[in-house]
């Protein structure tokens, strides 16, 4: 078996697979109100092609975790079948979702082999949710979270982004809400991945600000469990057992421990979330390339991975593709 190892000795074992660039929300930090021009269907990997590449990753390249993302993966019609077939290869299979539709699919996904979910929820105030997402669907997300917990898709994680002047005063109430329901909350610094390219560092709510806000209401102690390659710094809340995490991708980058590689919905390998180059697997796959050749292309793509994402570098350029097209 080959390993997906870069020049700095990091080995990728965590594969993020985007199943679509489409989404049924319009979060202000991700895309404009009118949405985006979605990629043509013929450019997107078919269900069989997704499963084929997952198999190569697991059986030939040492992938141990597969997380399906989007856009919004729940809008992919073949999701359950993709999960079932991918789980059969042996990796841990998880899902990052906005939660819309999860209430009716959580048990089916669990039965297919899904192990856990990460659900995006930035506020517990319905009016603030509507402001951020431009959709009045807060209660659908809440129902989806409960369904995921009931289906055993745990630990159920909640991902939250704080926006200055919108919900940056709501961190304590969101944490209190999650603790009461047994959800693991992770705050994520807003990253320069919006389609509008409007991200400004001085407008971003930093990890230090998030922690200061939480510490005004809770006692936070560094969690004893090792961080390893996990991006979140974990804190025990009021003596535990509940925890909260902060993913400081911008101010406290964890690039040195990164073990991720990304496959876009149109079959491109990205060795970093902020990479400006991609490696095409769709074309050779459709041309009949052998699994060994595709694996070799994948290995070569990882060798070009940079030491860090370089957001602090004055020459940093935001990727052309937004998060909805890259996959989280």
């Amino acid at each position: 078996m080959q390993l997906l190892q870069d020049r700095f000795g990091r080995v990728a074992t965590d594969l993020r697979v985007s199943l679509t660039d489409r989404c049924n929300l319009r979060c202000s930090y991700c895309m404009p109100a009118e949405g985006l021009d979605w990629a043509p269907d013929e450019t997107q990997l078919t269900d069989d092609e997704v499963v084929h590449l997952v198999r190569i990753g697991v059986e030939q390249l040492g992938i141990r975790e597969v997380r399906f993302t989007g856009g919004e993966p729940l809008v992919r019609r073949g999701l359950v079948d993709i999960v079932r077939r991918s789980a059969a290869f042996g990796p841990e299979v998880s899902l990052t979702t906005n939660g819309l539709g999860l209430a009716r699919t959580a048990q089916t996904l669990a039965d297919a082999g899904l192990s856990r979910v990460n659900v995006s929820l930035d506020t517990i105030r319905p009016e603030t949710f509507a402001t951020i997402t431009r959709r009045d669907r807060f209660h659908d997300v809440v129902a989806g979270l409960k369904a995921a917990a009931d289906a055993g898709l745990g630990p159920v994680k909640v991902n939250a982004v704080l926006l200055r002047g919108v919900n940056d005063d709501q961190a304590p109430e969101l944490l209190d809400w999650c603790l009461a329901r047994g959800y693991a909350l992770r705050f994520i610094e807003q990253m320069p991945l919006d389609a509008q390219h409007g991200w400004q560092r001085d407008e971003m709510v930093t990890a230090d600000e998030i922690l200061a806000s939480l510490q005004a209401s809770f006692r936070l102690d560094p969690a004893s469990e090792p961080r390893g390659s996990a991006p979140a710094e974990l804190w025990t809340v009021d003596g535990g057992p509940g925890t909260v995490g902060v993913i400081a991708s911008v101010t406290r980058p964890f690039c040195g421990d990164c073990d991720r590689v990304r496959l876009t919905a149109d079959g491109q390998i990205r060795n970093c979330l902020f990479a400006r180059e991609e490696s095409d697997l769709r074309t050779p796959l459709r041309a009949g390339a052998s699994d060994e050749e595709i694996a070799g292309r994948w290995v070569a793509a990882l060798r070009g991975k940079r030491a860090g994402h370089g957001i602090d570098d004055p020459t940093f350029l935001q990727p052309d593709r937004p998060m909805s097209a890259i996959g989280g």
Side-chain angles (χ1 to χ4, degrees):
M1 177 181 291
Q2 302 182 79
L3 294 179
L4 291 170
Q5 184 167 339
D6 64 32
R7 295 168 296 165
F8 304 96
R10 297 168 298 190
V11 177
T13 58
D14 183 340
L15 173 62
R16 305 297 171 97
V17 181
S18 175
L19 294 178
T20 179
D21 63 338
R22 292 167 170 78
C23 189
N24 41 17
L25 294 181
R26 297 291 182 270
C27 296
S28 59
Y29 54 83
C30 185
M31 65 178 69
E34 64 275 14
L36 300 169
D37 293 329
W38 309 126
D41 289 344
E42 64 270 16
T43 67
Q44 308 298 283
L45 294 175
T46 66
D47 294 359
D48 287 345
E49 288 170 340
V50 170
V51 173
H52 189 162
L53 291 175
V54 168
R55 180 177 59 77
I56 292 173
V58 172
E59 295 182 353
Q60 298 200 26
L61 300 171
I63 292 296
R64 298 195 296 267
E65 300 175 48
V66 177
R67 181 180 297 184
F68 293 111
T69 71
E72 173 45 52
L74 287 178
V75 306
R76 176 89 181 218
R77 292 183 178 179
L79 174 61
V80 172
D81 187 56
I82 291 172
V83 167
R84 180 181 295 108
R85 295 165 66 189
S86 297
F89 303 135
E92 178 185 78
V93 180
S94 60
L95 185 76
T96 294
T97 171
N98 63 27
L100 299 187
L102 191 58
R104 64 176 180 272
T105 56
Q107 188 61 60
T108 302
L109 286 166
D111 293 343
L114 192 73
S115 61
R116 57 187 176 86
V117 293
N118 287 43
V119 179
S120 299
L121 181 64
D122 305 316
T123 177
I124 56 167
R125 302 181 190 179
E127 65 277 10
T128 306
F129 181 91
T131 295
I132 294 173
T133 67
R134 304 183 178 104
R135 298 289 187 271
D136 185 16
R137 302 292 301 274
F138 170 74
H139 296 290
D140 294 320
V141 179
V142 172
L145 281 163
K146 183 179 185 303
D150 290 346
L153 294 173
V156 174
K157 294 185 179 180
V158 172
N159 295 339
V161 175
L162 297 183
L163 305 176
R164 198 171 300 285
V166 179
N167 65 336
D168 55 336
D169 60 337
Q170 299 177 29
E173 65 189 59
L174 181 55
L175 176 55
D176 193 53
W177 187 87
C178 287
L179 289 172
R181 290 158 178 79
Y183 305 148
L185 177 60
R186 303 291 182 261
F187 289 100
I188 305 174
E189 286 183 337
Q190 183 187 3
M191 294 179 283
L193 291 167
D194 57 305
Q196 308 93 303
H197 286 215
W199 180 89
Q200 297 292 329
R201 186 187 178 99
D202 58 0
E203 295 179 4
M204 179 191 72
V205 181
T206 67
D208 286 343
E209 292 176 282
I210 295 168
L211 290 170
S213 175
L214 295 174
Q215 286 167 335
S217 301
F218 304 93
R219 190 183 94 237
L220 301 184
D221 299 303
S224 58
E225 60 185 276
R227 178 176 173 181
S229 61
E233 294 183 69
L234 285 180
W235 305 81
T236 301
V237 182
D238 289 340
T243 63
V244 65
V246 179
I247 301 176
S249 303
V250 178
T251 63
R252 304 177 191 173
F254 41 88
C255 303
D257 295 316
C258 181
D259 64 350
R260 299 177 180 178
V261 61
R262 288 174 166 80
L263 176 66
T264 65
D266 57 354
Q268 309 300 305
I269 287 294
R270 295 180 66 89
N271 57 33
C272 174
L273 186 59
F274 297 96
R276 293 188 60 82
E277 306 84 21
E278 299 177 335
S279 299
D280 181 19
L281 296 188
R282 183 192 66 207
T283 299
L285 179 64
R286 291 183 175 176
S290 67
D291 289 358
E292 291 71 21
E293 181 181 345
I294 291 171
R297 288 172 176 263
W298 203 329
V299 168
L302 262 290
R303 291 201 187 105
K305 186 170 183 173
R306 298 181 180 180
H309 55 47
I311 293 177
D312 283 332
D313 192 311
T315 64
F316 173 79
L317 293 174
Q318 182 173 333
D320 293 330
R321 293 224 235 186
M323 177 66 92
S324 61
I326 295 172

